[in-house]
Amino acid sequence: MTRREIVMKFTKRGNQRNAANADSKLSGKIETFILKRSSTETIPLQRLVREMSEELACQSDKIVSEIIKLQADKRILIREPTPYKTLRQYLLSPISLWFWEVVLTTLVSLSLVFASSGWALYLRFVFGGLLVLLLPGYSLLGLLYFRKDDLDYMTRLALSLVLSLALATLVGFALNFTPFGITLPATALSLGALTIALQVLAAFRRFPHYRLQRLATFGP
């Protein structure tokens, strides 16, 4: 390695170290600003991000990521100003994205069952794999362990794979005694219906828990 290469290498490391230090200082400033403002008043999230972006000359994405970290560490509380009172309002709200993500993925998987050529065939393999190996077990876990803190991400993922295989086996076993038999359409529709049904049951279970949390938060 030549002297020039050594100098360039150390310069690059120095630049990376300086960038990391600058990023750490900015994160500290953002955290201090958020904690200071949230401790004195209840402030809308949009206004908080706008004011911080103007005062610290920082991109809003960076501010939002820091807010999410503080929320995850339970150092601040982010909540909607008015709690959703009905199941319909709850399901149509942004906090129910977990429900629609699985439902829409399931419907896309079912729509690709008969794809046989082009990009649709590759998408069929991807979404078909999700329908068989992940979504049913994930929905069942969402029903059994509906609070986020019940299971960590890796445990939830591993159990989803195991439970999905078990549910797929049970569905195949049940279809064997029906006139439809173990065919691709029957299996896909059965797994899709089971996944959506589990999601609906999970929503019915999560909504009362959400209501209790909001009553505790907004009560006198």
Side-chain angles (χ1 to χ4, degrees), residues 82-101:
T82 304
Y84 303 108
K85 297 181 179 181
T86 65
L87 180 62
R88 180 176 177 274
Q89 292 177 343
Y90 172 73
L91 288 178
L92 294 178
S93 69
I95 61 176
S96 294
L97 285 177
W98 59 271
F99 176 84
W100 296 108
E101 287 172 350

Side-chain angles (χ1 to χ4, degrees), residues 21-31 56-59 62 66:
N21 291 335
D23 188 67
S24 177
K25 290 180 180 179
L26 180 59
S27 298
K29 289 181 180 180
I30 294 174
E31 179 179 337
L56 302 178
C58 177
Q59 293 183 352
K62 177 65 177 176
E66 292 298 326

Side-chain angles (χ1 to χ4, degrees), residues 3-49:
R3 181 178 179 181
R4 183 179 178 183
E5 290 174 338
I6 294 175
V7 172
M8 291 178 64
K9 186 175 182 180
F10 278 99
T11 301
K12 185 177 180 180
R13 288 183 178 177
N15 292 336
Q16 291 176 345
R17 191 179 298 112
N18 291 336
N21 291 335
D23 188 67
S24 177
K25 290 180 180 179
L26 180 59
S27 298
K29 289 181 180 180
I30 294 174
E31 179 179 337
T32 302
F33 190 99
I34 294 173
L35 294 176
K36 182 179 179 180
R37 290 300 306 274
S38 61
S39 63
T40 57
E41 63 174 320
T42 300
I43 180 171
L45 184 59
Q46 184 177 6
R47 195 180 88 192
L48 176 63
V49 173

Side-chain angles (χ1 to χ4, degrees), residues 156-173:
R156 191 175 290 272
L157 178 61
L159 289 176
S160 296
L161 293 172
V162 174
L163 289 175
S164 293
L165 290 173
L167 290 174
T169 302
L170 290 175
V171 166
F173 181 77

Side-chain angles (χ1 to χ4, degrees), residues 38-180:
S38 61
S39 63
T40 57
E41 63 174 320
T42 300
I43 180 171
L45 184 59
Q46 184 177 6
R47 195 180 88 192
L48 176 63
V49 173
R50 184 179 66 251
E51 291 180 359
M52 292 179 62
S53 180
E54 295 173 353
E55 182 167 334
L56 302 178
C58 177
Q59 293 183 352
S60 59
D61 292 343
K62 177 65 177 176
I63 298 172
V64 171
S65 65
E66 292 298 326
I67 291 176
I68 292 174
K69 290 180 183 178
L70 292 173
Q71 166 79 357
D73 294 337
K74 298 182 179 179
R75 301 180 65 184
I76 61 173
L77 175 63
I78 301 175
R79 65 191 183 189
E80 66 276 7
T82 304
Y84 303 108
K85 297 181 179 181
T86 65
L87 180 62
R88 180 176 177 274
Q89 292 177 343
Y90 172 73
L91 288 178
L92 294 178
S93 69
I95 61 176
S96 294
L97 285 177
W98 59 271
F99 176 84
W100 296 108
E101 287 172 350
V102 174
V103 170
L104 290 177
T105 303
T106 302
L107 294 177
V108 171
S109 301
L110 294 177
S111 68
L112 295 170
V113 167
F114 298 104
S116 58
S117 62
W119 284 103
L121 178 60
Y122 297 104
L123 291 176
R124 171 189 170 185
F125 292 149
V126 173
F127 283 93
L130 290 175
L131 182 61
V132 175
L133 299 176
L134 182 64
L135 297 181
Y138 181 82
S139 299
L140 180 58
L141 278 180
L143 174 61
L144 299 176
Y145 302 97
F146 57 92
R147 290 185 294 267
K148 292 183 178 180
D149 298 335
D150 288 342
L151 296 172
D152 61 79
Y153 177 77
M154 293 305 298
T155 302
R156 191 175 290 272
L157 178 61
L159 289 176
S160 296
L161 293 172
V162 174
L163 289 175
S164 293
L165 290 173
L167 290 174
T169 302
L170 290 175
V171 166
F173 181 77
L175 287 175
N176 189 45
F177 296 96
T178 66
F180 306 104

